[in-house]
């Protein structure tokens, strides 16, 4: 009798859980899964937004994309952006988190100042930085001229235009990553540092032997979300350079946008989107395996 009662209770719990899941699953089905399936079908067609007719293309779009130099360049720009932003932003954010973790007068002020860029709209931040980088009247070039250095055209020089966007993105995102690291640091028991200090460990040794190993799960989260955000960067590119000069800042997402909504070739853009999706998925899986840890505290 008791076993039947438990079985009925488990069945009731499962039914309740299922009812709670249905709304979320319905939203995912309508706004995520169905559009993905539709985009996959479009990727096998010659689908043009300004034409009422489409024809089946098979694998032609995929073969064409794999030999497309513009797509290859945009893919390299996306990876270059990510490879620079990921270590620099992570290091700066971790350093800021360690600084503001300490209790001192005014620490709340510094936490707020570091976090303020996060609440600024990416569109507004990009517009402000475009003005700052302006060669004729931008604040940055005014400072350079004031100290006797030549002015630099940050957004019109193909060699450095991507670096200007990198600085913008790091400035805006470092406060958010800092908060994540701060939460991870606060979860590390202070007794571990005290024991290491008693054993004669230096601050650097405590950082590498205690802080970093116990931040591995936090680091994994930061690395994965930073990688995904960096690879799909679009708004700063669109507002500051529009992929220029000479395509030096055109990333994959910008390539997809240009192909879909300017060239109106939605089928070709869908192919690029799916290939990029699988690349990001593979990278995320590899990162999860690399940062796998059994450390508990």
């Amino acid at each position: 009798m008791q076993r039947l009662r438990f079985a009925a209770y488990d069945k009731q719990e499962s039914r309740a859980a299922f009812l709670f899941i249905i709304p979320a699953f319905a939203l995912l089905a309508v706004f995520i899964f169905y559009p993905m399936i539709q985009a996959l079908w479009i990727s096998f067609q010659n689908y043009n937004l300004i034409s009422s007719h489409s024809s089946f293309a098979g694998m032609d779009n995929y073969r064409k994309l794999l030999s497309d130099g513009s797509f290859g360049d945009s893919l390299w720009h996306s990876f270059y952006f990510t490879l620079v932003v990921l270590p620099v932003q992570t290091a700066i954010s971790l350093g800021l988190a360690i600084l503001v973790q300490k209790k001192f007068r005014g620490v709340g002020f510094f936490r707020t100042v570091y976090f303020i860029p996060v609440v600024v709209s990416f569109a507004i931040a990009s517009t402000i930085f475009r003005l700052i980088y302006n060669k004729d009247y931008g604040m940055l070039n005014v400072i350079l001229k004031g100290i006797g250095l030549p002015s630099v055209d940050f957004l019109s020089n193909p060699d450095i235009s991507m670096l200007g966007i990198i600085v913008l993105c790091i400035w805006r995102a470092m406060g958010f990553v800092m908060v994540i690291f701060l939460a991870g640091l606060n979860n590390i028991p202070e007794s571990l540092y005290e024991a290491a200090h008693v054993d004669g460990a230096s601050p650097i040794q405590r950082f590498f032997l205690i802080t970093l190993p116990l931040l591995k799960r936090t680091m994994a989260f930061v690395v994965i979300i930073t990688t995904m955000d960096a690879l799909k960067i679009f708004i700063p590119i669109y507002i500051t350079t529009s992929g220029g000069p000479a395509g030096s800042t055109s990333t994959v997402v910008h390539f997809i946008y240009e192909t879909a909504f300017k060239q109106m070739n939605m089928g070709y853009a869908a192919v690029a989107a799916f290939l990029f999706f699988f690349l990001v998925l593979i990278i995320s899986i590899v990162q999860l395996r690399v940062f796998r840890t059994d450390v508990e505290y």
Side-chain angles (χ1 to χ4, degrees), residues 4 6 13 22 25-26 52 75 87 92 115 119 160-161 178 183 191-192 214 258 273-274:
L4 292 175
F6 278 119
E13 273 198 333
I22 285 178
F25 182 80
S52 59
L75 192 63
I92 293 175
F115 189 77
V119 302
I160 62 173
S161 54
M178 177 199 73
S191 58
L192 297 177
L214 295 182
E258 292 278 330
F274 266 95

Side-chain angles (χ1 to χ4, degrees), residues 74-150:
S74 66
L75 192 63
W76 160 244
H77 296 152
S78 294
F79 281 115
Y80 171 75
F81 179 88
T82 304
L83 290 172
V84 176
V85 167
L86 181 59
V88 176
Q89 180 176 290
T90 302
I92 293 175
S93 301
L94 179 56
L96 292 176
I98 292 174
L99 289 175
V100 300
Q101 183 196 20
K102 300 177 181 179
K103 304 296 183 183
F104 59 89
R105 185 182 299 273
V107 65
F109 169 78
F110 288 102
R111 290 180 180 179
T112 303
V113 168
Y114 296 147
F115 189 77
I116 282 177
V118 179
V119 302
V120 178
S121 165
F122 230 145
I124 295 175
S126 301
T127 303
I128 292 173
F129 268 77
R130 186 177 64 181
L131 296 174
I132 292 174
Y133 289 147
N134 187 277
K135 184 179 180 181
D136 299 321
Y137 53 81
M139 184 179 68
L140 191 54
N141 277 307
V142 170
I143 295 174
L144 291 176
K145 291 178 182 178
I147 60 178
L149 296 176

Side-chain angles (χ1 to χ4, degrees), residues 39 65 71 252 255-256 267-279:
L65 185 72
F71 176 75
V252 174
F255 173 86
I256 295 170
Y268 197 58
V271 174
F274 266 95
L275 287 180
F276 188 55
F277 165 75
F278 284 114
L279 281 175

Side-chain angles (χ1 to χ4, degrees), residues 12-227:
Q12 185 178 1
E13 273 198 333
S14 300
R15 188 183 299 113
F18 183 72
L19 290 175
F20 277 111
I21 291 172
I22 285 178
F25 182 80
L27 290 174
L28 288 174
V30 173
F31 295 105
I32 302 295
F33 300 142
Y34 174 73
M36 287 183 66
I37 294 172
Q38 188 70 14
L40 180 62
W41 170 244
I42 290 175
S43 69
F44 293 103
Q45 301 180 54
N46 293 317
Y47 188 95
N48 195 295
L49 284 178
I50 59 176
S51 174
S52 59
H53 302 285
S54 61
S55 59
F56 186 74
M59 299 298 294
D60 290 345
N61 286 334
Y62 287 86
R63 285 191 288 266
K64 181 181 177 183
L65 185 72
L66 293 176
S67 60
D68 191 336
S70 298
F71 176 75
D73 291 340
S74 66
L75 192 63
W76 160 244
H77 296 152
S78 294
F79 281 115
Y80 171 75
F81 179 88
T82 304
L83 290 172
V84 176
V85 167
L86 181 59
V88 176
Q89 180 176 290
T90 302
I92 293 175
S93 301
L94 179 56
L96 292 176
I98 292 174
L99 289 175
V100 300
Q101 183 196 20
K102 300 177 181 179
K103 304 296 183 183
F104 59 89
R105 185 182 299 273
V107 65
F109 169 78
F110 288 102
R111 290 180 180 179
T112 303
V113 168
Y114 296 147
F115 189 77
I116 282 177
V118 179
V119 302
V120 178
S121 165
F122 230 145
I124 295 175
S126 301
T127 303
I128 292 173
F129 268 77
R130 186 177 64 181
L131 296 174
I132 292 174
Y133 289 147
N134 187 277
K135 184 179 180 181
D136 299 321
Y137 53 81
M139 184 179 68
L140 191 54
N141 277 307
V142 170
I143 295 174
L144 291 176
K145 291 178 182 178
I147 60 178
L149 296 176
S151 60
V152 180
D153 199 351
F154 288 94
L155 298 180
S156 299
N157 187 337
D159 296 328
I160 62 173
S161 54
M162 183 63 83
L163 295 178
I165 297 173
I166 287 172
V167 171
L168 158 63
C169 294
I170 291 176
W171 171 81
R172 186 184 178 276
M174 65 182 184
F176 174 72
V177 181
M178 177 199 73
V179 171
I180 296 174
F181 276 129
L182 187 60
L185 289 170
N186 288 333
N187 283 329
I188 299 177
E190 189 64 29
S191 58
L192 297 177
Y193 292 105
E194 294 173 355
H197 180 70
V198 171
D199 290 340
S202 66
I204 295 179
Q205 289 175 321
R206 294 198 293 270
F207 175 76
F208 284 102
L209 297 178
I210 298 176
T211 304
L212 280 185
L214 295 182
L215 274 181
K216 196 169 184 180
R217 290 182 178 176
T218 305
M219 186 72 71
F221 177 74
V222 167
V223 168
I224 291 172
I225 65 170
T226 302
T227 301

